[in-house]
Amino acid sequence: MKKVIFISAGPGDPDLITIKAINHLKKSEVVLVDRLVSPEIVNKYLNPRRKIIYVGKYNDMHNKKEKKSFFTHTQKSINHLMVYHALKGRYVVRLKGGDVSIFSNIMDELMELKKYDISYEIIPGVTAAIGASAYTGIPLTARGYASSVRFVTLHNPNSIDKNQWNEFMETKDTLVFYMCVHKLYHIMDKLMMNKRNLYTDKLIAIVEQATTPMQKVYTSTLYNFKDMIKKEKKFLSPSLVIFGKIVNLYSYFKWNYRSNFLDKKNYFIY
């Protein structure tokens, strides 16, 4: 077929995958699977005669035990595997956590496919921010609270300068910080550069392992943030931060998301 299907697995709850994605997985012959994809998706929806290649990246592993237990790849080797199997005419699926177009290095992989004139299809899905918003009851936009939302990656903290951090404090937008579990102090230090920011009506929500049975939510003001960090010294990956006036609604609209998993025997533990 000489084609690669990019499929979004969603943020954790395996039921959030789309029907279109499932239809492609059932026909797959080779599936390249990211680290944060639920095993239930792999076990339930893939063609039983398919070849599975786990391609977690070394930089995504946050502890030595995980690095030893999960076979790791560089982006170059992932690109090579995609091209190799596609040129062999196999039904290749690239299965990524969250949504494939949000902070997922999809551009590198698309450029490699175009280099070899390999066609592709992109199946959208639920990104972590949307999943976390829904499963915490925190609407990312709401009249009187926020009319816009921004997704920000902190993979490289130095990419955001002082003026941008000041603008983050002034904006009425809801901010969602991805890939930040190990950079929480950095985020808070930047937001609190101006001491008057400590008394803002905006709140922080740290959502740990969103949409899974292990989901936890921690909320705080900027003023009390360091006290919260002392109580919860380590937040598990993946975690993201929602910051804005909208977080005030969490206490009103949070719901029992764990009821979704009562009948599940094989959910993903990060």
Side-chain angles (χ1 to χ4, degrees):
M1 172 170 75
K2 212 171 86 164
K3 184 175 183 179
V4 174
I5 313 295
F6 289 89
I7 289 181
S8 307
D13 183 348
D15 285 348
L16 294 178
I17 195 168
T18 65
I19 293 173
K20 186 169 187 177
I22 291 170
N23 288 337
H24 280 291
L25 289 173
K26 288 179 177 177
K27 295 182 285 186
S28 61
E29 293 178 305
V30 177
V31 185
L32 282 69
V33 183
D34 274 357
R35 179 178 68 95
L36 296 180
V37 173
S38 168
E40 185 170 340
I41 290 175
V42 174
N43 296 335
K44 187 175 180 179
Y45 298 123
L46 268 61
N47 175 356
R49 294 179 296 278
R50 78 289 182 249
K51 176 182 178 66
I52 300 176
I53 306 173
Y54 291 96
V55 291
K57 292 178 186 172
Y58 189 87
N59 289 338
D60 291 338
M61 312 299 174
H62 298 299
N63 60 68
K64 291 181 180 178
K65 183 178 179 181
E66 186 180 36
K67 289 171 183 176
K68 290 179 180 178
S69 63
F70 200 99
F71 191 68
T72 58
H73 286 262
T74 63
Q75 186 62 59
K76 184 177 180 179
S77 67
I78 294 171
N79 293 348
H80 172 76
L81 286 166
M82 275 195 315
V83 168
Y84 173 79
H85 289 289
L87 291 178
K88 292 285 186 180
R90 294 165 185 149
Y91 202 116
V92 180
V93 165
R94 180 71 172 98
L95 185 59
K96 291 172 170 271
D99 179 90
V100 296
S101 296
I102 303 291
F103 304 135
S104 73
N105 270 350
I106 192 173
M107 188 176 77
D108 291 341
E109 297 175 14
L110 293 178
M111 289 178 67
E112 192 72 7
L113 296 180
K114 289 188 72 68
K115 186 190 302 184
Y116 290 90
D117 197 28
I118 298 171
S119 59
Y120 51 85
E121 184 173 343
I122 301 172
I123 312 299
V126 178
T127 188
I130 303 302
S133 169
Y135 278 55
T136 58
I138 301 174
L140 294 179
T141 63
R143 188 167 51 249
Y145 287 84
S147 58
S148 303
V149 60
R150 303 189 211 180
F151 298 163
V152 184
T153 175
L154 280 183
H155 184 70
N156 177 13
N158 296 324
S159 64
I160 302 175
D161 62 25
K162 181 179 178 180
N163 292 333
Q164 183 66 71
W165 283 109
N166 288 332
E167 199 276 330
F168 282 163
M169 279 304 308
E170 297 297 328
T171 184
K172 294 181 180 179
D173 296 349
T174 300
L175 304 178
V176 182
F177 294 96
Y178 279 67
M179 294 178 275
C180 64
V181 66
H182 301 292
K183 303 179 181 73
L184 291 174
Y185 279 110
H186 177 85
I187 294 173
M188 296 307 124
D189 285 344
K190 294 298 184 181
L191 292 176
M192 293 187 288
M193 283 188 295
N194 188 330
K195 295 302 180 184
R196 68 183 176 86
N197 292 344
L198 291 173
Y199 306 101
T200 178
D201 60 353
K202 298 177 181 179
L203 296 183
I204 308 152
I206 300 173
V207 186
E208 183 182 270
Q209 302 185 90
T211 80
T212 76
M214 293 72 65
Q215 175 180 300
K216 292 183 180 179
V217 183
Y218 307 87
T219 62
S220 173
T221 62
L222 281 178
Y223 185 84
N224 293 322
F225 174 77
K226 289 186 178 179
D227 289 335
M228 180 182 70
I229 285 289
K230 289 177 182 177
K231 293 178 183 178
E232 300 292 338
K233 293 183 179 179
K234 184 178 180 181
F235 296 93
L236 296 178
S237 176
S239 295
L240 55 74
V241 172
I242 303 174
F243 179 66
K245 188 178 177 182
I246 203 81
V247 179
N248 286 279
L249 297 178
Y250 170 67
S251 59
Y252 292 99
F253 297 130
K254 60 183 178 180
W255 56 280
N256 183 20
Y257 60 87
R258 285 190 175 87
S259 62
N260 279 20
F261 301 94
L262 291 179
D263 298 324
K264 294 188 182 299
K265 297 179 180 179
N266 183 25
Y267 51 77
F268 189 47
I269 299 177
Y270 294 99

Coordinates of all heavy atoms in Angstrom, one line a residue, residues 3-85:
K3 N 1.8 3.4 2.5 CA 1.0 4.4 3.2 C 1.2 4.2 4.7 O 1.3 3.0 5.2 CB -0.4 4.4 2.8 CG -1.3 5.5 3.4 CD -2.7 5.4 2.9 CE -3.6 6.5 3.4 NZ -4.9 6.5 2.9
V4 N 1.2 5.3 5.5 CA 1.3 5.2 6.9 C 0.1 5.9 7.5 O -0.3 7.1 7.1 CB 2.6 5.8 7.5 CG1 2.5 5.9 9.0 CG2 3.8 5.1 7.0
I5 N -0.6 5.3 8.5 CA -1.8 5.9 9.1 C -1.3 6.4 10.5 O -0.9 5.6 11.3 CB -2.9 4.9 9.3 CG1 -3.2 4.1 8.0 CG2 -4.2 5.6 9.8 CD1 -3.7 5.0 6.8
F6 N -1.5 7.7 10.7 CA -1.2 8.2 12.1 C -2.4 8.2 12.9 O -3.4 8.8 12.5 CB -0.6 9.7 11.9 CG 0.7 9.7 11.4 CD1 0.9 9.8 10.0 CD2 1.9 9.7 12.2 CE1 2.2 9.9 9.5 CE2 3.1 9.8 11.7 CZ 3.3 9.9 10.3
I7 N -2.4 7.5 14.0 CA -3.6 7.4 14.8 C -3.4 8.0 16.2 O -2.4 7.7 16.9 CB -4.0 5.9 14.9 CG1 -4.5 5.4 13.6 CG2 -5.0 5.6 16.0 CD1 -5.0 3.9 13.6
S8 N -4.4 8.7 16.7 CA -4.4 9.3 18.0 C -5.0 8.3 19.0 O -6.2 8.0 18.8 CB -5.1 10.6 18.0 OG -4.6 11.5 17.0
A9 N -4.3 7.9 20.0 CA -4.8 7.0 21.0 C -5.6 7.6 22.1 O -6.3 7.0 22.9 CB -3.7 6.1 21.6
G10 N -5.5 8.9 22.3 CA -6.1 9.6 23.4 C -5.2 9.7 24.6 O -4.1 9.2 24.6
P11 N -5.7 10.4 25.7 CA -4.8 10.7 26.8 C -4.7 9.6 27.9 O -3.9 9.8 28.8 CB -5.5 11.9 27.4 CG -7.0 11.7 27.1 CD -7.0 11.0 25.8
G12 N -5.4 8.5 27.8 CA -5.3 7.5 28.9 C -6.5 6.5 28.9 O -6.3 5.3 28.9
D13 N -7.7 7.1 29.0 CA -8.9 6.2 29.0 C -9.0 5.6 27.6 O -9.2 6.3 26.6 CB -10.1 7.1 29.3 CG -11.4 6.3 29.4 OD1 -11.4 5.1 29.0 OD2 -12.4 6.8 29.9
P14 N -8.9 4.3 27.5 CA -8.9 3.6 26.2 C -10.2 3.8 25.4 O -10.3 3.7 24.2 CB -8.7 2.2 26.5 CG -9.0 2.0 27.9 CD -8.7 3.3 28.6
D15 N -11.3 4.2 26.1 CA -12.6 4.4 25.5 C -12.7 5.7 24.7 O -13.6 5.9 24.0 CB -13.7 4.3 26.5 CG -14.0 2.9 26.9 OD1 -13.5 2.0 26.3 OD2 -14.8 2.8 27.9
L16 N -11.7 6.5 24.8 CA -11.7 7.8 24.2 C -11.1 7.7 22.7 O -11.1 8.7 22.0 CB -10.9 8.9 25.0 CG -11.4 9.2 26.3 CD1 -10.5 10.2 27.0 CD2 -12.8 9.9 26.2
I17 N -10.7 6.6 22.3 CA -10.2 6.4 20.9 C -11.4 6.5 20.0 O -12.5 6.1 20.3 CB -9.4 5.1 20.8 CG1 -8.6 5.1 19.4 CG2 -10.3 3.9 20.9 CD1 -7.6 4.0 19.3
T18 N -11.2 6.9 18.7 CA -12.3 7.1 17.8 C -12.6 5.8 17.1 O -11.7 4.9 16.9 CB -12.0 8.2 16.8 OG1 -10.9 7.8 16.0 CG2 -11.6 9.5 17.4
I19 N -13.8 5.7 16.5 CA -14.2 4.6 15.7 C -13.4 4.4 14.5 O -12.9 3.3 14.1 CB -15.7 4.7 15.4 CG1 -16.6 4.5 16.6 CG2 -16.1 3.6 14.4 CD1 -18.0 4.8 16.4
K20 N -13.0 5.6 13.8 CA -12.2 5.5 12.6 C -10.8 4.9 13.0 O -10.3 4.1 12.2 CB -12.1 6.9 12.1 CG -11.3 7.0 10.7 CD -11.4 8.3 10.1 CE -10.9 8.3 8.6 NZ -11.0 9.5 7.9
A21 N -10.3 5.3 14.1 CA -9.0 4.8 14.5 C -9.1 3.3 14.7 O -8.2 2.5 14.3 CB -8.5 5.5 15.8
I22 N -10.1 2.8 15.4 CA -10.3 1.4 15.6 C -10.4 0.6 14.3 O -9.8 -0.5 14.1 CB -11.5 1.1 16.4 CG1 -11.3 1.6 17.9 CG2 -11.9 -0.4 16.5 CD1 -12.6 1.7 18.7
N23 N -11.1 1.2 13.3 CA -11.2 0.5 12.0 C -9.9 0.3 11.3 O -9.6 -0.8 10.7 CB -12.2 1.3 11.1 CG -13.6 1.2 11.6 OD1 -14.0 0.2 12.3 ND2 -14.4 2.2 11.2
H24 N -9.0 1.3 11.4 CA -7.7 1.1 10.9 C -6.8 0.2 11.7 O -6.0 -0.6 11.1 CB -7.0 2.5 10.8 CG -7.4 3.4 9.7 ND1 -7.0 3.1 8.4 CD2 -8.1 4.5 9.7 CE1 -7.5 4.0 7.6 NE2 -8.2 4.9 8.3
L25 N -6.9 0.2 13.0 CA -6.1 -0.7 13.8 C -6.5 -2.2 13.5 O -5.6 -3.1 13.6 CB -6.4 -0.4 15.3 CG -5.7 0.9 15.8 CD1 -6.2 1.1 17.3 CD2 -4.2 0.8 15.7
K26 N -7.7 -2.5 13.2 CA -8.1 -3.8 12.9 C -7.5 -4.4 11.6 O -7.4 -5.6 11.4 CB -9.7 -3.9 12.9 CG -10.3 -3.8 14.3 CD -11.9 -3.8 14.2 CE -12.5 -3.8 15.5 NZ -14.0 -3.8 15.5
K27 N -7.2 -3.4 10.7 CA -6.6 -3.9 9.5 C -5.0 -3.8 9.5 O -4.4 -4.1 8.5 CB -7.1 -3.0 8.4 CG -8.6 -3.2 8.1 CD -9.2 -2.3 7.0 CE -9.3 -0.9 7.3 NZ -9.9 -0.1 6.3
S28 N -4.5 -3.3 10.6 CA -3.0 -3.0 10.6 C -2.2 -4.3 10.5 O -2.6 -5.4 10.9 CB -2.7 -2.3 11.9 OG -3.0 -3.2 13.0
E29 N -1.0 -4.1 9.9 CA 0.0 -5.2 9.8 C 1.2 -4.9 10.6 O 1.8 -5.8 11.2 CB 0.4 -5.4 8.3 CG -0.8 -5.9 7.5 CD -0.4 -6.1 6.0 OE1 0.1 -5.1 5.4 OE2 -0.5 -7.2 5.5
V30 N 1.6 -3.6 10.7 CA 2.7 -3.2 11.5 C 2.3 -2.0 12.3 O 1.8 -1.0 11.7 CB 4.0 -2.8 10.7 CG1 5.1 -2.3 11.6 CG2 4.4 -4.0 9.9
V31 N 2.4 -2.0 13.6 CA 2.0 -0.9 14.5 C 3.2 -0.4 15.3 O 3.7 -1.2 16.1 CB 0.8 -1.3 15.4 CG1 0.3 -0.1 16.1 CG2 -0.3 -1.9 14.6
L32 N 3.5 0.9 15.1 CA 4.6 1.5 16.0 C 3.9 2.2 17.1 O 3.2 3.2 16.9 CB 5.4 2.4 15.1 CG 6.5 1.8 14.2 CD1 5.8 1.1 13.0 CD2 7.4 2.9 13.6
V33 N 4.1 1.8 18.3 CA 3.4 2.2 19.5 C 4.2 3.1 20.4 O 5.3 2.7 20.9 CB 2.8 1.0 20.3 CG1 1.9 1.4 21.4 CG2 2.0 0.1 19.3
D34 N 3.7 4.2 20.8 CA 4.3 5.1 21.8 C 4.2 4.6 23.2 O 3.3 3.8 23.5 CB 3.7 6.5 21.7 CG 4.4 7.4 20.6 OD1 5.4 6.9 20.0 OD2 4.0 8.5 20.5
R35 N 5.0 5.1 24.1 CA 5.0 4.7 25.5 C 3.7 4.9 26.2 O 3.3 4.1 27.0 CB 6.1 5.4 26.2 CG 6.2 5.0 27.7 CD 7.4 5.8 28.4 NE 7.2 7.2 28.5 CZ 6.7 7.8 29.5 NH1 6.4 7.1 30.6 NH2 6.6 9.1 29.5
L36 N 3.0 6.0 25.9 CA 1.8 6.4 26.7 C 0.5 5.9 26.1 O -0.5 6.5 26.4 CB 1.8 7.9 26.9 CG 2.9 8.5 27.7 CD1 2.8 10.0 27.8 CD2 3.0 7.9 29.1
V37 N 0.5 4.9 25.3 CA -0.7 4.3 24.7 C -1.2 3.2 25.7 O -0.4 2.3 26.1 CB -0.4 3.7 23.3 CG1 -1.6 3.0 22.8 CG2 0.0 4.9 22.4
S38 N -2.5 3.2 26.0 CA -3.0 2.2 26.8 C -2.9 0.8 26.3 O -3.2 0.5 25.1 CB -4.5 2.5 27.1 OG -5.2 1.4 27.7
P39 N -2.4 -0.2 27.0 CA -2.3 -1.6 26.6 C -3.7 -2.2 26.2 O -3.8 -3.1 25.4 CB -1.8 -2.3 27.8 CG -1.0 -1.3 28.5 CD -1.8 0.0 28.4
E40 N -4.8 -1.6 26.8 CA -6.1 -2.1 26.4 C -6.4 -1.8 24.9 O -7.0 -2.7 24.3 CB -7.2 -1.5 27.3 CG -8.5 -2.1 27.0 CD -9.6 -1.6 28.1 OE1 -9.2 -1.2 29.1 OE2 -10.8 -1.7 27.7
I41 N -5.9 -0.7 24.4 CA -6.1 -0.4 23.0 C -5.4 -1.4 22.2 O -5.9 -2.0 21.2 CB -5.6 1.0 22.7 CG1 -6.6 2.0 23.3 CG2 -5.5 1.2 21.2 CD1 -6.2 3.5 23.2
V42 N -4.1 -1.7 22.5 CA -3.3 -2.7 21.8 C -3.9 -4.1 21.9 O -4.0 -4.8 20.9 CB -1.9 -2.7 22.4 CG1 -1.0 -3.8 21.7 CG2 -1.2 -1.4 22.2
N43 N -4.4 -4.5 23.0 CA -4.9 -5.9 23.2 C -6.3 -6.0 22.6 O -6.6 -7.1 22.1 CB -5.0 -6.2 24.7 CG -3.6 -6.2 25.3 OD1 -2.6 -6.5 24.7 ND2 -3.5 -6.0 26.6
K44 N -7.1 -5.0 22.5 CA -8.5 -5.1 22.1 C -8.7 -4.9 20.7 O -9.6 -5.5 20.0 CB -9.3 -4.2 23.0 CG -10.8 -4.3 22.8 CD -11.5 -3.4 23.8 CE -13.0 -3.5 23.7 NZ -13.8 -2.7 24.7
Y45 N -8.0 -3.9 20.1 CA -8.4 -3.4 18.8 C -7.4 -3.8 17.6 O -7.8 -3.7 16.5 CB -8.5 -1.9 18.8 CG -9.6 -1.4 19.7 CD1 -9.3 -0.5 20.8 CD2 -10.9 -1.9 19.6 CE1 -10.3 -0.1 21.6 CE2 -11.9 -1.4 20.5 CZ -11.6 -0.5 21.5 OH -12.5 -0.1 22.4
L46 N -6.2 -4.2 17.9 CA -5.3 -4.5 16.8 C -5.6 -5.8 16.2 O -6.1 -6.8 16.8 CB -3.8 -4.5 17.4 CG -3.1 -3.2 17.3 CD1 -3.8 -2.1 18.1 CD2 -1.7 -3.3 17.8
N47 N -5.3 -5.9 14.9 CA -5.3 -7.1 14.1 C -4.4 -8.2 14.8 O -3.2 -7.9 15.1 CB -4.7 -6.8 12.7 CG -4.6 -8.1 11.9 OD1 -4.9 -9.2 12.3 ND2 -4.2 -7.9 10.6
P48 N -5.0 -9.3 15.2 CA -4.2 -10.3 16.0 C -2.9 -10.8 15.2 O -2.0 -11.4 15.9 CB -5.2 -11.5 16.2 CG -6.3 -11.3 15.2 CD -6.4 -9.8 14.9
R49 N -2.9 -10.6 13.9 CA -1.7 -11.1 13.2 C -0.7 -10.0 12.9 O 0.2 -10.1 12.1 CB -2.2 -11.7 11.8 CG -3.0 -13.0 12.0 CD -3.4 -13.6 10.7 NE -4.3 -12.7 10.0 CZ -5.6 -12.7 10.3 NH1 -6.2 -13.4 11.2 NH2 -6.4 -11.8 9.6
R50 N -0.9 -8.9 13.5 CA 0.0 -7.7 13.3 C 1.3 -7.8 14.0 O 1.5 -8.6 14.9 CB -0.7 -6.4 13.8 CG -0.6 -6.2 15.3 CD -1.5 -7.2 16.0 NE -1.5 -7.0 17.4 CZ -1.0 -7.9 18.3 NH1 -0.4 -8.9 17.8 NH2 -1.1 -7.7 19.6
K51 N 2.3 -7.0 13.6 CA 3.6 -6.9 14.2 C 3.6 -5.6 15.1 O 3.3 -4.6 14.5 CB 4.7 -6.9 13.2 CG 6.1 -6.7 13.8 CD 7.1 -6.6 12.7 CE 8.5 -6.4 13.2 NZ 9.0 -7.5 14.1
I52 N 3.8 -5.7 16.4 CA 3.9 -4.6 17.2 C 5.3 -4.2 17.5 O 6.1 -5.0 17.9 CB 3.2 -4.8 18.6 CG1 1.7 -5.2 18.3 CG2 3.2 -3.6 19.5 CD1 1.0 -5.5 19.6
I53 N 5.6 -2.9 17.3 CA 7.0 -2.4 17.7 C 6.8 -1.2 18.6 O 6.2 -0.2 18.3 CB 7.7 -1.9 16.4 CG1 7.8 -3.0 15.3 CG2 9.1 -1.4 16.8 CD1 8.3 -2.5 14.0
Y54 N 7.3 -1.4 19.9 CA 7.2 -0.4 20.9 C 8.3 0.6 20.7 O 9.5 0.2 20.7 CB 7.2 -1.0 22.3 CG 5.9 -1.8 22.6 CD1 5.9 -3.2 22.4 CD2 4.8 -1.1 23.0 CE1 4.7 -3.9 22.6 CE2 3.6 -1.8 23.2 CZ 3.6 -3.2 23.1 OH 2.4 -3.9 23.3
V55 N 8.0 1.9 20.5 CA 9.0 2.9 20.1 C 9.0 4.0 21.1 O 9.1 5.2 20.7 CB 8.8 3.4 18.7 CG1 9.1 2.3 17.7 CG2 7.4 3.9 18.5
G56 N 9.0 3.8 22.4 CA 9.2 4.8 23.4 C 10.5 5.5 23.2 O 11.5 4.8 23.0
K57 N 10.5 6.8 23.3 CA 11.8 7.5 23.2 C 12.5 7.6 24.5 O 11.9 7.8 25.6 CB 11.5 9.0 22.6 CG 11.0 9.0 21.2 CD 10.7 10.4 20.8 CE 10.1 10.4 19.4 NZ 9.6 11.7 19.0
Y58 N 13.8 7.5 24.4 CA 14.7 7.6 25.7 C 14.4 8.8 26.4 O 14.3 8.8 27.7 CB 16.1 7.4 25.3 CG 17.1 7.2 26.5 CD1 17.3 6.0 27.0 CD2 17.7 8.3 27.1 CE1 18.1 5.8 28.1 CE2 18.5 8.1 28.2 CZ 18.7 6.9 28.7 OH 19.5 6.7 29.7
N59 N 14.3 10.0 25.8 CA 14.1 11.3 26.5 C 12.8 11.4 27.2 O 12.6 12.2 28.0 CB 14.3 12.4 25.5 CG 15.7 12.6 25.0 OD1 16.6 12.2 25.7 ND2 15.9 13.2 23.9
D60 N 11.8 10.5 26.8 CA 10.5 10.5 27.5 C 10.5 9.7 28.8 O 9.6 9.8 29.5 CB 9.4 9.9 26.5 CG 9.2 10.8 25.4 OD1 9.5 12.0 25.5 OD2 8.7 10.3 24.3
M61 N 11.6 8.9 29.0 CA 11.6 8.1 30.2 C 12.2 8.9 31.4 O 13.3 9.5 31.2 CB 12.5 6.9 30.0 CG 12.2 6.1 28.7 SD 10.5 5.5 28.6 CE 10.4 4.9 27.0
H62 N 11.6 8.9 32.5 CA 12.0 9.8 33.6 C 12.6 9.1 34.8 O 13.0 9.7 35.7 CB 10.7 10.6 34.1 CG 10.1 11.5 33.0 ND1 10.8 12.5 32.4 CD2 8.9 11.5 32.5 CE1 10.1 13.1 31.6 NE2 8.9 12.5 31.5
N63 N 12.8 7.8 34.7 CA 13.6 7.1 35.7 C 14.3 5.9 35.2 O 14.0 5.4 34.1 CB 12.6 6.7 36.9 CG 11.6 5.7 36.4 OD1 11.9 4.6 36.0 ND2 10.3 6.2 36.4
K64 N 15.4 5.5 35.9 CA 16.2 4.4 35.4 C 15.5 3.1 35.2 O 15.7 2.4 34.2 CB 17.4 4.3 36.3 CG 18.4 5.4 36.3 CD 19.5 5.2 37.3 CE 20.5 6.4 37.3 NZ 21.6 6.2 38.2
K65 N 14.6 2.8 36.1 CA 13.8 1.5 36.0 C 13.0 1.5 34.7 O 13.0 0.5 34.0 CB 13.0 1.4 37.2 CG 12.2 0.1 37.2 CD 11.3 0.0 38.5 CE 10.6 -1.3 38.5 NZ 9.7 -1.4 39.7
E66 N 12.4 2.6 34.4 CA 11.5 2.7 33.2 C 12.4 2.5 31.9 O 12.0 1.9 31.0 CB 10.8 4.0 33.2 CG 9.8 4.1 32.1 CD 9.1 5.5 32.1 OE1 9.7 6.5 32.4 OE2 7.9 5.5 31.8
K67 N 13.6 3.2 31.9 CA 14.4 3.1 30.8 C 14.9 1.7 30.5 O 15.1 1.3 29.4 CB 15.6 4.0 31.0 CG 15.2 5.5 30.9 CD 16.4 6.4 31.4 CE 15.9 7.9 31.4 NZ 17.0 8.8 31.9
K68 N 15.1 0.9 31.5 CA 15.5 -0.5 31.4 C 14.4 -1.4 30.9 O 14.6 -2.4 30.2 CB 16.1 -1.0 32.7 CG 17.5 -0.3 33.0 CD 18.0 -0.9 34.4 CE 19.3 -0.2 34.7 NZ 19.8 -0.7 36.1
S69 N 13.2 -1.1 31.3 CA 12.1 -2.0 31.1 C 11.4 -1.7 29.8 O 10.6 -2.6 29.3 CB 11.0 -1.9 32.2 OG 10.5 -0.6 32.3
F70 N 11.6 -0.6 29.1 CA 10.9 -0.3 27.9 C 11.9 0.0 26.8 O 12.8 0.8 26.9 CB 10.1 1.0 28.1 CG 8.9 1.2 27.1 CD1 7.6 0.8 27.4 CD2 9.2 1.7 25.9 CE1 6.6 1.0 26.5 CE2 8.2 1.9 24.9 CZ 6.9 1.6 25.3
F71 N 11.7 -0.8 25.7 CA 12.7 -0.7 24.6 C 12.6 0.7 24.0 O 11.5 1.2 23.6 CB 12.4 -1.7 23.5 CG 13.4 -1.8 22.5 CD1 14.7 -2.3 22.8 CD2 13.2 -1.4 21.2 CE1 15.7 -2.5 21.9 CE2 14.2 -1.6 20.2 CZ 15.4 -2.1 20.6
T72 N 13.7 1.4 23.9 CA 13.7 2.8 23.5 C 14.2 3.0 22.1 O 15.1 2.3 21.6 CB 14.5 3.7 24.5 OG1 15.8 3.2 24.6 CG2 13.8 3.7 25.9
H73 N 13.8 4.1 21.5 CA 14.2 4.4 20.1 C 14.5 5.9 20.0 O 14.0 6.7 20.8 CB 13.1 4.1 19.1 CG 12.9 2.7 18.8 ND1 13.4 2.0 17.7 CD2 12.2 1.7 19.5 CE1 13.1 0.8 17.7 NE2 12.4 0.6 18.8
T74 N 15.4 6.3 19.1 CA 15.5 7.7 18.7 C 14.5 8.0 17.6 O 13.9 7.1 17.0 CB 16.9 7.9 18.1 OG1 17.1 7.1 16.9 CG2 18.0 7.5 19.1
Q75 N 14.3 9.3 17.4 CA 13.4 9.7 16.3 C 13.9 9.2 14.9 O 13.1 8.8 14.1 CB 13.3 11.2 16.2 CG 12.2 11.7 15.3 CD 10.9 11.3 15.6 OE1 10.3 11.5 16.7 NE2 10.2 10.5 14.7
K76 N 15.2 9.1 14.8 CA 15.7 8.6 13.5 C 15.4 7.2 13.3 O 15.0 6.8 12.1 CB 17.3 8.8 13.5 CG 17.9 8.4 12.2 CD 19.4 8.7 12.3 CE 20.1 8.3 10.9 NZ 21.6 8.6 11.0
S77 N 15.5 6.3 14.3 CA 15.2 4.9 14.2 C 13.7 4.7 13.9 O 13.2 3.8 13.2 CB 15.6 4.1 15.4 OG 14.9 4.4 16.5
I78 N 12.8 5.6 14.6 CA 11.4 5.5 14.3 C 11.1 5.8 12.9 O 10.3 5.1 12.2 CB 10.6 6.4 15.3 CG1 10.8 6.0 16.7 CG2 9.1 6.5 14.9 CD1 10.2 7.0 17.8
N79 N 11.7 6.8 12.4 CA 11.5 7.2 11.0 C 11.9 6.1 10.0 O 11.2 5.8 9.1 CB 12.3 8.5 10.6 CG 11.8 9.7 11.3 OD1 10.7 9.7 11.9 ND2 12.6 10.7 11.3
H80 N 13.0 5.4 10.4 CA 13.5 4.3 9.5 C 12.5 3.2 9.5 O 12.2 2.6 8.5 CB 14.9 3.9 10.0 CG 15.4 2.6 9.4 ND1 15.9 2.6 8.1 CD2 15.4 1.3 9.8 CE1 16.2 1.3 7.8 NE2 15.9 0.5 8.8
L81 N 12.0 2.8 10.7 CA 11.0 1.7 10.8 C 9.8 2.0 10.0 O 9.3 1.1 9.3 CB 10.7 1.4 12.2 CG 11.8 0.7 13.1 CD1 11.4 0.9 14.6 CD2 11.9 -0.7 12.7
M82 N 9.3 3.2 10.1 CA 8.1 3.6 9.3 C 8.3 3.4 7.8 O 7.5 2.8 7.1 CB 7.7 5.0 9.6 CG 6.8 5.3 10.8 SD 6.1 6.9 10.7 CE 7.5 7.9 10.2
V83 N 9.4 4.0 7.4 CA 9.7 4.0 5.9 C 10.0 2.5 5.5 O 9.4 2.1 4.4 CB 10.9 4.9 5.6 CG1 11.4 4.6 4.2 CG2 10.6 6.3 5.8
Y84 N 10.7 1.8 6.2 CA 11.1 0.4 5.8 C 9.8 -0.4 5.6 O 9.7 -1.1 4.6 CB 11.9 -0.2 6.9 CG 12.2 -1.7 6.7 CD1 13.2 -2.1 5.8 CD2 11.5 -2.7 7.3 CE1 13.5 -3.5 5.5 CE2 11.7 -4.0 7.1 CZ 12.7 -4.4 6.2 OH 13.0 -5.7 6.0
H85 N 8.9 -0.4 6.6 CA 7.7 -1.3 6.5 C 6.7 -0.7 5.4 O 6.1 -1.5 4.7 CB 7.1 -1.4 7.8 CG 7.8 -2.3 8.8 ND1 8.0 -3.6 8.6 CD2 8.6 -1.9 9.9 CE1 8.7 -4.1 9.6 NE2 9.1 -3.1 10.4

